[in-house]
Amino acid sequence: MKLTGAQILWECLVREGVTEIFGYPGGAILPAYDAMLDYPIRHTLVRHEQGATHMADGYARATGRVGVAIATSGPGATNMVTGIATAMLDSSPIVCITGQVGSRLIGTDAFQEIDITGITLPVTKHNYLVTRAQDVAAAVREAFQIAQEGRPGPVLIDITKDAQQSSCEFDWEAAAPVRRARRETPLPVHADLTRAAELIQNAKRPVILAGHGVTISGAENALRAFAERGNIPVAATLLGIGGLPASHPLNLGMMGMHGEAWVNIAIQQADLLIACGMRFDDRVTGKLSTYAPNARKIHIEIDPSEINKNVPVDVALVGDLRAVLDRLVPLLVPMIDSGDRRRWLAEIEASRGDSAVRDIQSLPDDGHLYAAHVINDLWRATRDHDTIVVTDVGQHQMWEAQYYHHERPRSLITSGGLGTMGFAVPAAIGAKRARPEAEVWAVVGDGGFQMTMCELATAVQESLAIKVAIINNGFLGMVRQWQEFFYERRYAATPLSGPDFVKLADAFGVHSRAVLARRDVLPAIAEARAHQGPVVIDFRVEQEDTVYPMVPAGADLHAMIRRPNPIVETAAD
Ligand SMILES: Cc1cc2nc3c(=O)[nH]c(=O)nc-3n(C[C@H](O)[C@H](O)[C@H](O)COP(=O)(O)OP(=O)(O)OC[C@H]3O[C@@H](n4cnc5c(N)ncnc54)[C@H](O)[C@@H]3O)c2cc1C
Ligand SMILES: Cc1ncc(C[n+]2csc(CCOP(=O)(O)OP(=O)(O)O)c2C)c(N)n1
Ligand SMILES: [Mg+2]
């Protein structure tokens, strides 16, 4: 069958199971757009190519399937870079397709020519410059394999205009990836498994560190079985939230810079850490030389380059987390009756009690609207439904992690590694495309919202009923918090004005309201849920509220700045 390169592209995408694509057209990708009309793929027209990449990423994180974005050469391609880097840092499988100038023009500074494979080399798992129609199929097939296999990540395919336009024989079979035939994911040797089992059995104060790998590997049941059999408490990274239900008695909550105090204390006092699909990010460890000083470490991880990268470990179990746990757990003797474990859990529980009295939830209603209250009310209103919360980056992101109690994997989608402001609204649109039956909330700061709010138009045009909760504090709040603690409250460039978000939403054709008082939070959420289309709620919260606890960057993990006790709110005066 003779097809153009553009037709081959869509033919292959359809065969890879793609039904949705997010993109923005332009000259160098026009042949592909023209051919697209003949294929059963729905295209979502974004308002900025960064949005397309975040939508593909949100789609991928909501489902585990590859998300796909498409753009033209030059500025279309460079606008994608932030979204590609975001996916790279969080191991999210996306494939980005860009048009490129004609192959004979490459290197001439042709109109909208940019070396996008060069630019994205460090932020993709792999990328391709395809200059001939006959190479399109193999590139697409391999890209999908690479994006998903092992540790997932973004792949970019740059296709010249002439490669899209010229024709060749299409042979799906012949284009099967051969160079990188799917490798069997390695499994640890039995001796290492028994060594790990021994360490676990003998530990008196073990903690499981559950990361993003739990979700990626689909290991939530295996993790639960592991924790229950060993009677071991579980701490989550930001991206590991949802790996074990928040309501599970062994779930401690989030670790790290803004983790719960009792979690960080437990890690520092542990005699064994079992890291499950997490990469010991600096937001997680604080100062490495004093991190969990008395703990042996077991690291279960699919990417060998993560082993001993930040934290030296005693036993490394390289492989897919679920497969490793399925082999490890049967080697463990049930520890439910162990006195040591009971004492350890009771100790952690005691420090949890101390933190509870400092919690902002304990603050009497003083007429102020705190972000923590908004998030907690959102959780109360949506907890019994199939809800996905997509957060942006900043204080609101941390409050969401602390006060929205996730029960399921893939119910929190957030940019962790790159910390990309502007992520939430487009990623929520991608998640809604992927899971139309789910209720999708974007929780976003007034700063981040202003970075990609143009995508509200996309939500309207595509009838995607995302609900947007702006946590509006009039500041680039997280940066203001750093200035408060570490720069003597010199608020350089952090006070932030914005448009009237209600009027703005109205102009987009989006239903909206502002909320200024606590009593109006739940009714506004109920109204948003009842409304058929997209909704924006402008929650005007306390301006100088602070995320507690906080481990200053590079400090000892247990050297936390705690909320003052009794609670005094800096902004309540
Ligand atoms: C403002 C801000 C504050 C933050 N504060 C915190 C904080 O307080 N606490 C916190 O935890 N994070 C925090 N983060 C997030 C932090 O930067 C990291 O993104 C996060 O800690 C990474 O979590 P992770 O290691 O679980 O996930 P990833 O970075 O996604 O790493 C996942 C790991 O799992 C491995 N893996 C993937 N698939 C498998 C598989 N099938 N089997 C086995 N292994 C697999 C990968 O190779 C990788 O090593 C913050 C981010 C921001 C923006
Ligand atoms: C694209 C980008 N630019 C800058 C930053 C640095 N940064 C991290 S948090 C933050 C403030 C976010 O403000 P806002 O969106 O209002 O959220 P808040 O912290 O107030 O909840 C900034 C500027 C970033 N993470 N991403
Ligand atoms: Mg803000």
Side-chain angles (χ1 to χ4, degrees):
M1 178 170 44
K2 221 170 163 88
L3 298 177
T4 65
Q7 289 170 318
I8 292 172
L9 170 67
W10 298 110
E11 192 69 42
C12 291
L13 291 176
V14 169
R15 290 177 192 229
E16 290 290 348
V18 175
T19 55
E20 305 287 346
I21 188 163
F22 307 93
Y24 206 85
I29 195 71
L30 260 186
Y33 265 87
D34 183 61
M36 178 179 77
L37 294 177
D38 300 325
Y39 289 85
I41 290 186
R42 180 163 49 182
H43 178 268
T44 298
L45 177 65
V46 303
R47 296 300 181 272
H48 186 293
E49 292 86 350
Q50 180 186 351
T53 51
H54 292 328
M55 286 179 207
D57 192 348
Y59 180 94
R61 296 194 207 205
T63 56
R65 297 199 298 271
V66 177
V68 188
I70 185 165
T72 193
S73 66
T78 53
N79 274 351
M80 286 182 140
V81 173
T82 300
I84 294 172
T86 304
M88 184 70 179
L89 271 277
D90 288 348
S91 298
S92 184
I94 64 171
V95 168
C96 295
I97 296 152
T98 46
Q100 181 56 281
V101 300
S103 55
R104 276 191 311 230
L105 290 174
I106 286 180
T108 67
D109 291 336
F111 178 64
Q112 296 193 329
E113 181 194 357
I114 201 81
D115 175 10
I116 196 63
T117 46
I119 288 173
T120 59
L121 193 64
V123 290
T124 47
K125 247 183 115 175
H126 196 58
N127 67 24
Y128 301 85
L129 171 60
V130 178
T131 57
R132 306 184 317 164
Q134 55 265 46
D135 297 333
V136 171
V140 174
R141 292 198 68 174
E142 202 175 78
F144 272 74
Q145 179 177 316
I146 292 173
Q148 299 172 84
E149 78 181 354
R151 178 179 184 167
V155 180
L156 177 126
I157 312 171
D158 194 28
I159 313 177
T160 60
K161 197 164 183 179
D162 51 324
Q164 297 169 51
Q165 286 166 324
S166 57
S167 300
C168 69
E169 203 55 39
F170 171 60
D171 187 342
W172 170 256
E173 294 305 330
V178 278
R179 207 156 42 80
R180 301 169 44 95
R182 187 177 285 272
R183 285 172 308 211
E184 278 293 305
T185 311
L187 269 175
V189 295
H190 193 71
D192 285 341
L193 286 167
T194 47
R195 173 104 201 285
E198 234 168 75
L199 285 178
I200 295 166
Q201 218 67 62
N202 296 333
K204 294 185 163 54
R205 309 157 77 82
V207 177
I208 293 171
L209 308 177
H212 196 193
V214 175
T215 305
I216 295 171
S217 146
E220 47 282 351
N221 292 336
L223 173 74
R224 189 185 181 132
F226 175 33
E228 288 176 355
R229 195 170 176 94
N231 207 13
I232 304 172
V234 179
T237 66
L238 176 66
L239 298 184
I241 286 176
L244 186 73
S247 59
H248 193 285
L250 288 169
N251 192 327
L252 298 182
M254 188 170 78
M255 66 181 94
M257 178 176 275
H258 293 293
E260 308 293 356
W262 63 85
V263 184
N264 289 338
I265 293 168
I267 289 170
Q268 289 304 87
Q269 294 180 344
D271 65 358
L272 177 69
L273 297 180
I274 309 122
C276 296
M278 57 82 74
R279 60 181 173 86
F280 292 108
D281 182 88
D282 56 75
R283 280 338 189 217
V284 158
T285 59
K287 191 173 171 183
L288 283 170
S289 58
T290 56
Y291 179 66
N294 305 317
R296 299 286 195 82
K297 281 121 192 158
I298 299 171
H299 198 176
I300 312 178
E301 166 63 56
I302 204 162
D303 180 354
S305 67
E306 288 295 339
I307 305 293
N308 295 326
K309 187 180 82 177
N310 296 332
V311 172
V313 296
D314 298 272
V315 182
L317 302 177
V318 175
D320 173 64
L321 179 64
R322 184 167 56 167
V324 174
L325 288 179
D326 284 348
R327 282 159 184 78
L328 178 64
V329 175
L331 304 179
L332 302 174
V333 178
M335 298 291 277
I336 194 75
D337 297 321
S338 151
D340 283 336
R341 297 283 156 92
R342 263 209 302 272
R343 271 190 293 280
W344 175 224
L345 290 170
E347 213 176 294
I348 297 172
E349 201 50 43
S351 62
R352 194 197 280 253
D354 172 58
S355 297
V357 294
R358 299 168 188 251
D359 195 304
I360 193 158
Q361 297 291 338
S362 314
L363 195 71
D365 190 351
D366 57 1
H368 293 254
L369 184 62
Y370 294 100
H373 291 154
V374 174
I375 304 286
N376 209 246
D377 281 353
L378 180 63
W379 168 68
R380 288 200 290 151
T382 59
R383 60 193 287 192
D384 295 332
H385 306 272
D386 178 9
T387 307
I388 298 174
V389 182
V390 186
T391 61
D392 215 77
V393 170
Q395 290 186 309
H396 63 280
Q397 179 188 27
M398 295 298 108
W399 281 314
E400 199 282 346
Q402 294 176 343
Y403 292 100
Y404 196 106
H405 306 292
H406 290 270
E407 293 291 306
R408 287 180 301 276
R410 302 192 187 282
S411 66
L412 168 60
I413 294 175
T414 194
S415 166
L418 199 65
T420 307
M421 284 173 68
F423 176 79
V425 169
I429 291 173
K432 186 71 183 167
R433 258 295 185 241
R435 302 263 333 275
E437 72 291 355
E439 188 173 319
V440 178
W441 282 83
V443 172
V444 54
D446 46 330
F449 180 70
Q450 292 186 66
M451 283 196 170
T452 53
M453 60 192 182
C454 55
E455 301 302 344
L456 281 183
T458 306
V460 171
Q461 183 169 355
E462 299 290 332
S463 302
L464 289 164
I466 58 163
K467 316 293 173 186
V468 181
I470 304 175
I471 306 299
N472 182 359
N473 54 11
F475 273 102
L476 297 173
M478 184 54 92
V479 181
R480 186 207 61 73
Q481 171 166 343
W482 281 55
Q483 292 169 331
E484 176 187 333
F485 285 157
F486 313 119
Y487 294 86
E488 299 166 345
R489 289 181 191 245
R490 288 153 59 87
Y491 291 162
T494 45
L496 174 77
S497 72
D500 179 329
F501 290 124
V502 174
K503 281 193 186 149
L504 179 97
D506 192 47
F508 276 106
V510 170
H511 183 76
S512 183
R513 72 161 53 247
V515 172
L516 289 84
R518 175 106 203 253
R519 64 177 173 279
D520 297 330
V521 173
L522 278 172
I525 292 169
E527 184 186 310
R529 298 190 60 227
H531 185 78
Q532 296 291 310
V535 175
V536 167
I537 312 179
D538 176 12
F539 290 104
R540 311 250 181 94
V541 298
E542 273 307 298
Q543 295 212 320
E544 294 187 50
D545 197 3
T546 309
V547 180
Y548 291 108
M550 178 176 189
V551 181
D556 296 355
L557 192 57
H558 52 273
M560 287 165 281
I561 306 172
R562 306 280 298 270
R563 186 177 287 280
N565 185 18
I567 303 164
V568 273
E569 273 309 312
T570 47
D573 42 38

